[in-house]
Amino acid sequence: MTDLSRRTALGLTAALAAAPTEARADDAAPIIMVSTWDFGRIANQAGWERRLAGGSALDMVEAGGRVAEADPTNTSVGLGGWPDRDGKVTLDACVMTWAGDVGAVCALEDVNHAVSVARAVMEKTPHTMLVGEGARRFALDQGFQTAVMPTPQAEAAWREWLKTADYAPRINRENLDWRATPGGPGNHDTIGLLAIGADGHMAGACTTSGLAFKMRGRVGDSPIIGAGLYVDNEVGAATATGVGEDVVRVVGSHSVVEGMRAGLDPTTACRRVIERLARLRGDKIARSQVAFLALDRHGRAGGFALQPGFTYAVTTAQGDTRIVRADSLFS
């Protein structure tokens, strides 16, 4: 048995025995919005303000996603995203509503706010996904403006990487400042957002610039309904972050929602899918991070990760927001 296989077995045993840790306010103030990573705090604030203005759950997650996409210092989403190996920034995003309406874009270039383009795909076309040049042309036809990407900082990181072209994933890059790790490649890039509107209906969004220095044309889990995002008004919603290839292997977000449908609380539902991935992949996930975040229809939230370091933001109907550090299978 390899060290990681032994570690996997021990981790699974410990995880199964551990009590779930849920993020829950109190009965008077259920959670109405969650999003991945520390920068989700600002995204949630935008979503909460949109709710106060009469916006739906879809409006909330779109508003939060746009905040992350517009931040040039956020190297994992939108405008500030690091490029692929050819120096091109390509964006992926999807949205899903309580009614099962979905929209997604993949490999979108030269246009920021992929989350809004994904919503337009859902509302303006008979399709669920547009990719590449077709997605770009559609966005411009809908009045979206072009944007200069990569930013000077992102281009500098890419040029530094070119000196070695050595792809070495780093866990939890979302919680690192690009200025502290110039040229340091990341291994996963996402903000996932889930919300409950004032009418009780749910929606979710997921938006990303994808793996830093990925192969040209690579698409991960973020724009794939059922993998990076899934919403079911009867049960709840889930989103994913981490190495998209591994999230896709277990149809992660859908699997989390189905766990909640079977009666699991949000944290335990996330944990069970992580355990399944660990059993499936074994040594192959030694240096990977995968995490799930879930929100049930009652306003309970929970998350669980493969490796330590995953955080998420929770916001109540009163507008109070806090950052929660999720438990992980491995320490």
Side-chain angles (χ1 to χ4, degrees):
M1 180 180 286
T2 66
D3 288 343
L4 180 62
S5 297
R6 191 175 296 108
R7 185 174 167 224
T8 299
L10 291 172
L12 286 173
T13 300
L16 288 169
T21 56
E22 286 185 66
R24 177 69 192 261
D26 52 44
D27 292 337
I31 293 166
I32 52 91
M33 189 167 181
V34 295
S35 58
T36 56
W37 304 107
D38 290 17
F39 54 77
R41 182 191 298 273
I42 302 173
N44 281 18
Q45 182 65 27
W48 180 73
E49 291 173 357
R50 189 70 187 85
R51 190 179 197 254
L52 289 182
S56 65
L58 180 60
D59 295 329
M60 294 167 65
V61 295
E62 181 188 16
R66 286 177 64 92
V67 166
E69 291 173 338
D71 183 356
T73 68
N74 188 327
T75 64
S76 64
V77 178
L79 184 65
W82 281 0
D84 62 20
R85 298 181 187 189
D86 291 351
K88 303 290 186 181
V89 176
T90 58
L91 307 179
D92 306 322
C94 71
V95 296
M96 185 171 185
T97 74
W98 65 274
D101 296 321
V102 300
V105 290
C106 303
L108 176 66
E109 291 188 44
D110 303 325
V111 177
N112 196 15
H113 297 310
V115 68
S116 295
V117 181
R119 180 174 182 172
V121 170
M122 179 183 73
E123 295 178 338
K124 305 289 187 179
T125 82
H127 308 305
T128 59
M129 180 181 288
L130 294 177
V131 304
E133 179 57 28
R136 180 181 184 276
R137 197 177 314 161
F138 168 76
L140 296 179
D141 288 346
Q142 293 298 311
F144 289 89
Q145 301 298 308
T146 58
V148 177
M149 294 181 280
T151 63
Q153 296 93 334
E155 182 174 0
W158 171 67
R159 293 192 180 281
E160 183 69 21
W161 174 79
L162 283 176
K163 294 178 182 179
T164 62
D166 179 23
Y167 184 76
R170 291 196 63 176
I171 290 174
N172 301 333
R173 184 167 69 82
E174 288 85 348
N175 278 347
L176 298 177
D177 188 329
W178 68 266
R179 289 164 293 191
T181 55
N187 73 338
H188 48 94
D189 313 80
T190 307
I191 183 169
L193 311 101
L194 310 170
I196 303 173
D199 58 3
H201 291 321
M202 304 188 77
C206 193
T207 179
T208 183
S209 56
L211 287 168
F213 318 135
K214 61 195 175 187
M215 291 180 66
R216 183 77 168 151
R218 180 266 185 187
V219 174
D221 68 298
S222 296
I224 299 176
I225 298 298
L229 177 71
Y230 198 74
V231 178
D232 187 321
N233 222 44
E234 294 180 350
V235 180
T239 189
T241 185
V243 179
E245 286 78 359
D246 286 326
V247 175
V248 169
R249 294 180 212 281
V250 291
V251 198
S253 293
H254 181 266
S255 296
V256 171
V257 171
E258 289 307 297
M260 291 192 292
R261 190 189 306 280
L264 299 179
D265 62 81
T267 300
T268 304
C270 293
R271 188 180 72 201
R272 291 292 171 83
V273 180
I274 291 293
E275 293 166 356
R276 177 184 169 195
L277 176 63
R279 291 193 299 268
L280 177 67
R281 300 298 284 167
D283 291 3
K284 295 177 181 178
I285 56 173
R287 295 176 178 83
S288 296
Q289 173 68 300
V290 173
F292 296 103
L293 174 61
L295 177 66
D296 74 12
R297 67 186 183 90
H298 302 294
R300 298 183 302 171
F304 199 80
L306 185 66
Q307 310 283 358
F310 172 56
T311 59
Y312 58 94
V314 298
T315 299
T316 70
Q318 297 173 337
D320 299 321
T321 301
R322 61 193 175 95
I323 300 297
V324 177
R325 181 170 293 275
D327 288 340
S328 60
L329 189 63
F330 301 131
S331 58

